[in-house]
DNA sequence: CCTTAACTCCTTTTT
DNA sequence: GGAGTTAAGG
């Protein structure tokens, strides 16, 4: 081992890095250097002649994957190629496109986002039930949620229904049928939703003969954030790890915060049973936070009944007690945060070394207003996702049907954005066009008026669609022929985006009267983003599985700001990150813990883990603030501090500070 | 059939 | 407060 490893890792970390073969579980507390351990292990494996492409490193977000890859690169000192790093969804996407043929599907499948899924389910329900029946039947999102839970929890629909939707239990047969139609139609349209990526990936690696070529190439598997695995992910890990030389999983049960999508830290606790002769490593030295911050976090998490008891050792020197600051209302809280942020900036703690953390996006409304007013630059990692905005989806739909003309939902979006064509009209058109293969060619060369005779579609609408026919004809066909341009013959991606933008432009003022200029600007931004890609398919997949970022922009860190901005983030998004100064805001019952969790002890424990994660992001300074009055709809509501503050008050792990009145 | 405008619901967290 | 739904009018 190089001396560098000896120097930069503690003995426990080093042992895990050097783990020889077979299964290993690393149980690690917050800030104990598990990310570091993982990156060093990858580097160690590569330096010892494992090809990078034989290593799978599963992370929770794209960002984590990228950062770890960079750090491995730094350690190895040369460019590493082919490392399979990313989220399950990303790895599944890549693998399924490469090996899709073995599973007998077209690797040009398009991925449905939740909005598309909802549209699709709505359409199916509309087909199957009349309006009266619809009222009694679960809503589209509920059907989808049930279905998703069966996959992510690995339980049958009957059980999901009786636990989460008992009121609909009596309709289980209809629900089952609906879901099976949904599944069939997705297949017919060659589309997959997020869950499908995992389902088909699992199906693939389960079939060891078919997947032999893929599986044989994987020598080492490493999985981060194992406490948040759900059933299907744990299943995937099992199948990936079974034949690998080593499998290393890392997690902290105190940081499990994804129960809502099936995450269950019992998968981590069960790992040694699933993988026999598993070696256990423990990392219990915290390098991140001051002892005061750690003491507060430990005091809080101790209130949870479920979970390992572990005490983290500190290494850092003593700092200040965390500060708890009551504010009269949300505006005062916002002002207080701004004031403290600026004060720390005076002390040379840059804005980007400070973060404001919260439970839900809408908790930041007042703060954002105040930041804008005071011209404090910030980025927000919460809220609307760039690629799920209507105008972006408008454009993306045109690209999608070029690579996958069977994607019904995209066609409906395209048709119905033309004046005089509604959702239902669009749906009829695509149904007729789909009766023959080559949907795109059909559409471009058909006589719409003739085809749609008998269906009472508006004349004006059909006329508008002839323009669309012209547009696709020029965009995607050899001039004067019915011959499609191949993907290589099409213009490059930015040019395509430009052309579609030009086509969309005249529709925007009517479609988006309030802010069409902003939206057109986004399309230009999209064009710049598209320059990175030479394949439409890869672009379409990546924007959902890799770059579906929340917040205003897709070019994070690339702004023309003079100063790197303050970070506003949900606690979920803050996972794995750290800042010198952390502010946790809106610490009232109903916000953290969330109103929905109140009354259910297991949910409250999940919220407490969220609070724990939030606190342990702080290196030097931690603020805990709450408003005494919160507006809810149109009412004011008086609230005391969050139970998470009250329950540790006696332990004197924070000091209460008054707001200085101006 | 399609659009518009009034009306109603219910607010988490994410790949 | 904003999106989704419904009912009337074109
Ligand atoms: N052996 C070490 N010596 C000194 N500093 C270390 C060591 N290991 C990790 N650190 C530092 O401690 C901090 C936390 O490390 P890291 O992010 O790897 O922890 P983690 O276990 O992933 O944290 P969390 O689970 O809370 O996200 C980082 O700033 C890292 O540089």
């Amino acid at each position: 081992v190089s001396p560098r490893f000896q120097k930069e890792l503690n003995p426990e970390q080093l042992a895990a890095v050097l783990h020889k073969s077979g299964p290993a579980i690393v149980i690690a507390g917050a800030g104990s250097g598990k990310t570091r351990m993982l990156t060093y292990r990858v580097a160690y494996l590569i330096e010892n002649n494992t090809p990078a492409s034989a290593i799978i490193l599963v992370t929770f977000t794209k960002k984590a994957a990228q950062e770890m890859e960079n750090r491995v690169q730094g350690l190895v000192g040369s460019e590493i190629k082919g490392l399979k790093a990313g989220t399950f969804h990303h790895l599944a996407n890549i693998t399924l496109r490469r090996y899709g043929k073995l599973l007998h599907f077209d690797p040009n499948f398009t991925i449905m986002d939740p909005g598309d899924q909802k549209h699709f389910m709505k359409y199916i329900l509309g087909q199957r039930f009349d309006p009266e029946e619809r009222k009694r039947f679960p809503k589209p999102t509920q059907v989808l949620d049930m279905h998703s839970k069966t996959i992510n929890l690995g339980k049958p629909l009957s059980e999901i229904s009786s636990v989460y939707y008992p009121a609909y239990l009596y309709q289980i047969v209809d629900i089952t049928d609906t879901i099976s139609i949904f599944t069939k139609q997705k297949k017919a349209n060659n589309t997959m939703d997020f869950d499908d990526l995992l389902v088909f990936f699992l199906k693939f690696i389960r079939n060891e003969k078919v997947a032999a070529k893929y599986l044989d190439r994987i020598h080492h598997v490493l999985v981060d954030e194992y406490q948040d695995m759900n059933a299907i992910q744990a299943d995937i890990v099992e199948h990936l790890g079974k034949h690998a030389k080593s499998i290393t999983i890392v997690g902290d049960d105190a940081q499990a915060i994804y129960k809502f999508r099936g995450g269950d830290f019992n998968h981590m606790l069960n790992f040694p049973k699933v993988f026999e002769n598993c070696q256990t490593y423990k990392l219990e030295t915290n390098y991140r936070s001051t002892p005061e911050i750690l003491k507060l976090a430990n005091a809080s998490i101790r209130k949870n009944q479920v979970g390992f008891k572990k005490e983290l050792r500190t290494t850092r020197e003593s700092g200040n007690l965390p500060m708890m600051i009551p504010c009269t209302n949300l505006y005062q809280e916002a002002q207080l945060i701004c004031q403290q942020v600026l004060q720390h900036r005076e002390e040379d703690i840059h804005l980007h070394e400070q973060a404001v953390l919260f439970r839900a996006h809408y908790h930041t409304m007042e703060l954002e207003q105040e930041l804008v007013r005071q011209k404090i630059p910030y980025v927000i990692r919460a809220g609307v996702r760039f690629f799920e905005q209507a105008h972006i989806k408008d454009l993306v739909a045109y690209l999608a049907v070029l690579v996958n003309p069977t994607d019904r939902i995209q066609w409906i979006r395209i048709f119905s954005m033309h004046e005089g064509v509604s959702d239902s009209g669009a749906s009829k058109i695509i149904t007729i066009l789909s009766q023959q293969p080559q949907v795109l060619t059909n559409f471009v060369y058909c006589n719409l008026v003739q085809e749609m005779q008998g269906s009472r579609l508006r004349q004006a609408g059909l006329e508008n669609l002839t323009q669309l026919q012209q547009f696709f004809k020029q965009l995607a066909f050899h001039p004067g022929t019915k011959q499609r341009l191949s993907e290589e013959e099409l213009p490059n991606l930015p040019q395509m985006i430009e052309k579609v933008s030009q086509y969309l432009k005249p529709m925007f003022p009517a479609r988006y009267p309030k802010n069409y200029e902003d939206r057109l600007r986004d399309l230009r931004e999209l064009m710049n983003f598209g320059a990175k890609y030479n394949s439409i398919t890869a672009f379409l997949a990546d924007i959902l599985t890799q770059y579906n970022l929340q917040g205003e922009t897709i070019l994070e860190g690339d702004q023309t700001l003079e100063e790197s901005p303050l970070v506003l983030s949900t606690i979920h998004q803050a996972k794995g990150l750290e800042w010198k100064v952390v502010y946790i805001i809106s610490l009232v019952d109903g916000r953290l813990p969330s109103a929905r969790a109140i009354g259910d002890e297991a949910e409250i424990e999940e919220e407490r883990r969220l609070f724990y994660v939030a606190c342990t992001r702080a290196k030097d300074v931690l603020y805990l603030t709450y408003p005494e009055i919160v507006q809810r709809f149109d009412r004011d509501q008086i609230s005391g501090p969050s139970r998470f503050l009250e329950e540790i008050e006696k332990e004197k792990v924070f000091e209460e500070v008054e707001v200085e009145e101006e």
Side-chain angles (χ1 to χ4, degrees):
Chain A
V1 200
S2 72
R4 179 162 184 196
F5 279 54
Q6 309 262 15
K7 204 172 113 217
E8 292 172 6
L9 298 168
N10 67 33
E12 294 81 28
Q13 286 172 315
L14 189 62
V17 165
L18 302 182
H19 173 75
K20 265 250 144 8
S21 64
I25 177 171
V26 182
I27 299 170
S32 64
K34 60 178 134 54
T35 308
R36 183 180 286 203
M37 175 254 135
L38 277 176
T39 49
Y40 278 67
R41 175 157 175 83
V42 173
Y44 169 77
L45 292 170
I46 291 175
E47 282 179 352
N48 287 275
N49 302 322
T50 303
S53 64
I55 301 171
I56 284 198
L57 172 62
V58 185
T59 60
F60 214 69
T61 61
K62 183 212 129 231
K63 205 171 160 206
Q66 218 165 38
E67 264 164 33
M68 283 162 98
E69 209 168 335
N70 285 341
R71 290 190 32 201
V72 172
Q73 204 125 245
L75 286 171
V76 175
S78 62
E79 203 190 333
I80 43 168
K81 276 191 115 161
L83 179 67
K84 296 184 172 69
T87 62
F88 282 109
H89 291 89
H90 173 64
L91 297 169
N93 174 55
I94 298 282
T95 312
L96 289 174
R97 288 192 199 277
R98 175 165 309 164
Y99 296 93
K101 292 227 170 79
L102 296 176
L103 288 170
H104 307 294
F105 61 71
D106 179 354
N108 272 330
F109 62 85
T110 36
I111 300 173
M112 287 178 148
D113 75 1
D116 297 338
Q117 253 185 322
K118 201 174 153 191
H119 267 129
F120 204 23
M121 184 55 84
K122 223 171 128 178
Y123 161 76
I124 290 169
L125 294 184
Q127 295 264 302
R128 271 171 70 78
F129 305 111
D130 60 39
E132 272 311 302
E133 292 172 313
R134 282 284 301 272
K135 282 198 187 119
R136 310 183 145 271
F137 206 71
K139 305 272 152 298
T141 46
Q142 293 177 309
V143 180
L144 290 167
D145 183 51
M146 288 185 214
H147 179 44
S148 184
K149 281 194 158 70
T150 62
I151 293 165
N152 289 303
L153 296 170
K155 304 235 165 86
L157 189 67
S158 54
E159 196 177 328
I160 299 295
S161 181
S162 51
V163 175
Y164 298 94
Y165 297 91
Y168 295 123
L169 197 54
Y170 77 102
Q171 308 197 69
I172 187 129
V173 175
D174 269 340
I175 298 171
T176 309
D177 288 351
T178 306
I179 289 171
S180 104
I181 291 174
F182 176 62
T183 306
K184 281 199 195 101
Q185 301 236 354
K186 278 188 293 187
K187 196 146 207 172
N189 291 355
N190 199 23
T191 54
M192 290 203 199
D193 56 33
F194 286 132
D195 287 341
D196 289 331
L197 289 172
L198 303 188
V199 168
F200 287 108
F201 186 46
L202 176 61
K203 191 175 165 192
F204 174 59
I205 57 178
R206 250 199 191 133
N207 191 334
E208 288 172 16
K209 278 209 189 100
V210 171
K213 224 167 145 189
Y214 173 73
L215 291 171
D216 286 349
R217 288 186 190 154
I218 295 168
H219 298 172
H220 299 280
V221 178
L222 301 94
V223 189
D224 199 5
E225 309 283 10
Y226 209 82
Q227 73 281 356
D228 284 313
M229 283 308 111
N230 63 32
I232 189 165
Q233 292 169 331
D235 229 349
I236 290 173
V237 170
E238 190 179 333
H239 284 88
L240 285 178
K242 209 151 55 173
H243 303 291
K245 257 191 231 153
S246 84
I247 167 156
T248 310
I249 64 136
V250 179
D252 175 7
D253 59 310
Q255 295 188 65
I257 54 176
Y258 279 86
K259 184 161 175 261
F260 69 92
R261 62 169 212 203
D264 182 348
F265 58 77
N266 285 312
H267 292 302
M268 182 172 115
L269 307 186
N270 285 336
F271 184 84
K273 286 176 208 146
V274 177
F275 286 90
E276 281 171 24
N277 303 319
C278 174
Q279 281 256 16
T280 302
Y281 300 90
K282 285 191 178 171
L283 308 182
E284 293 179 311
T285 310
N286 177 297
Y287 292 96
R288 179 180 293 139
S289 311
T290 63
E292 287 77 10
I293 291 170
L294 208 57
K295 199 169 164 202
L296 184 146
N298 282 333
S300 178
I301 203 66
R302 261 200 305 275
K303 303 287 174 189
N304 270 8
Q305 301 299 310
V306 182
F308 288 138
K309 304 282 167 251
K310 55 175 170 287
E311 285 293 314
L312 286 170
R313 288 186 296 269
T314 63
T315 55
R316 300 243 352 234
E317 286 192 3
S318 180
N320 293 325
L321 269 185
M323 278 167 278
M324 194 273 265
I325 313 180
C327 303
T328 50
N329 57 39
L330 291 159
Y331 299 99
Q332 194 189 48
E333 188 182 39
Q335 279 171 7
L336 171 83
I337 301 294
C338 291
Q339 188 192 327
Q340 296 306 310
V341 165
L342 292 176
Q343 192 180 319
H344 284 298
R345 182 166 68 171
E346 291 291 299
E347 298 157 3
D348 262 358
I349 301 179
H350 295 132
L351 293 181
H352 70 272
E353 292 172 313
Q354 307 185 46
V356 181
L357 306 183
F358 43 86
R359 177 70 175 89
H361 178 218
Y362 74 94
H363 297 167
T364 65
M365 257 181 25
E366 291 76 9
L367 177 61
E368 287 195 67
Q369 281 169 18
E370 191 61 22
L371 287 166
V372 171
R373 205 177 68 75
Q374 299 204 25
K375 299 196 169 59
I376 302 175
Y378 68 93
V379 283
I380 177 149
R381 298 185 194 148
V384 190
R385 294 177 155 77
F386 185 83
F387 292 103
E388 282 175 24
Q389 299 173 98
H391 56 294
I392 303 297
K393 294 190 63 170
D394 287 347
L395 188 144
V396 164
Y398 286 77
L399 302 178
V401 297
L402 289 176
V403 292
N404 179 16
T406 56
D407 191 333
R408 175 184 187 98
I409 296 300
Q410 306 307 328
W411 277 117
I412 292 176
R413 184 171 201 103
I414 293 173
F415 290 153
S416 65
M417 73 176 71
H418 293 78
E419 188 135 22
V421 184
S422 70
D423 260 27
S424 65
S427 189
K428 284 178 188 152
I429 299 173
I430 186 62
T431 300
I432 296 208
L433 291 173
S434 306
Q435 283 164 3
Q436 290 162 40
Q438 307 287 344
V439 180
L440 182 60
T441 316
N442 271 347
F443 169 65
V444 169
Y445 287 96
C446 78
N447 181 336
L448 271 178
V449 178
Q450 211 172 340
E451 292 284 344
M452 300 313 294
Q453 255 174 13
S455 69
R456 282 166 290 176
L457 290 167
R458 280 285 163 80
Q459 192 62 34
L462 293 178
E463 267 161 33
N464 282 331
L465 290 184
T466 53
Q467 296 195 3
L468 179 64
Q469 291 178 306
Q470 286 308 314
F471 174 69
F472 273 126
K473 193 188 272 183
Q474 281 167 16
L475 185 70
F477 288 81
H478 285 288
T481 69
K482 288 195 179 184
Q483 185 74 38
R484 283 277 309 272
L485 295 172
S486 68
E487 207 178 324
E488 295 75 49
E489 291 165 332
L490 286 169
N492 67 33
L493 198 51
Q495 286 168 345
M496 300 276 286
I497 294 174
E498 167 69 10
K499 287 187 181 187
V500 179
S501 301
Q502 289 305 329
Y503 182 76
L504 292 175
K505 205 169 170 183
M507 299 185 219
F508 265 41
R511 197 166 162 76
Y512 304 111
K514 273 182 261 166
N515 50 11
Y516 65 93
E517 278 161 335
D518 289 346
R519 292 181 189 252
L520 286 170
R521 201 164 330 116
D522 277 350
L523 297 190
R524 279 198 290 281
E525 199 174 329
L526 190 63
M527 198 169 85
N528 296 332
F529 181 79
K532 285 197 240 171
Y533 289 84
N534 45 29
S535 145
I536 300 177
T537 312
F539 172 77
L540 293 175
D542 277 12
I543 63 180
L544 291 180
T545 61
Q546 298 250 74
Y547 288 95
N548 201 5
L549 303 175
Q550 289 173 314
E552 316 265 280
T553 175
I554 38 177
L555 303 169
E556 190 163 349
D558 188 75
Q559 285 117 337
T560 43
L561 296 166
E562 292 139 39
E563 189 178 0
S564 49
L566 173 72
V567 177
L568 271 54
S569 170
T570 61
I571 299 172
H572 285 92
Q573 296 265 15
K575 176 187 265 264
L577 305 179
E578 58 186 28
W579 293 270
K580 284 190 177 161
V581 181
V582 167
Y583 309 83
I584 309 175
I585 61 169
S586 271
L587 281 166
V588 296
D589 269 36
R591 290 192 163 203
L592 185 63
S594 141
R596 294 198 174 205
I598 291 171
D600 180 335
E601 196 44 39
E603 292 292 330
I604 289 291
E605 296 213 343
E606 174 98 351
E607 300 284 309
R608 197 179 278 109
R609 288 191 292 268
L610 266 166
F611 180 60
Y612 178 77
V613 169
C615 293
T616 54
R617 299 309 96 198
K619 294 201 259 191
D620 302 339
V621 184
L622 176 62
Y623 290 92
L624 309 164
T625 70
Y626 74 91
E628 276 154 355
I629 300 171
V630 182
Q631 284 95 317
R632 226 175 110 81
F633 299 108
D634 43 2
R635 282 202 188 138
D636 281 357
Q637 215 176 39
I638 298 173
S639 50
S642 163
R643 64 187 68 193
F644 298 148
L645 294 175
E646 289 200 310
E647 69 194 10
I648 54 173
E649 199 187 342
K650 285 211 190 74
E651 298 172 45
K652 303 234 179 313
V653 287
F654 58 76
E655 63 171 322
E656 185 169 337
V657 178
E658 305 260 311
V659 185
E660 296 162 33
E661 292 289 343
E662 290 165 35

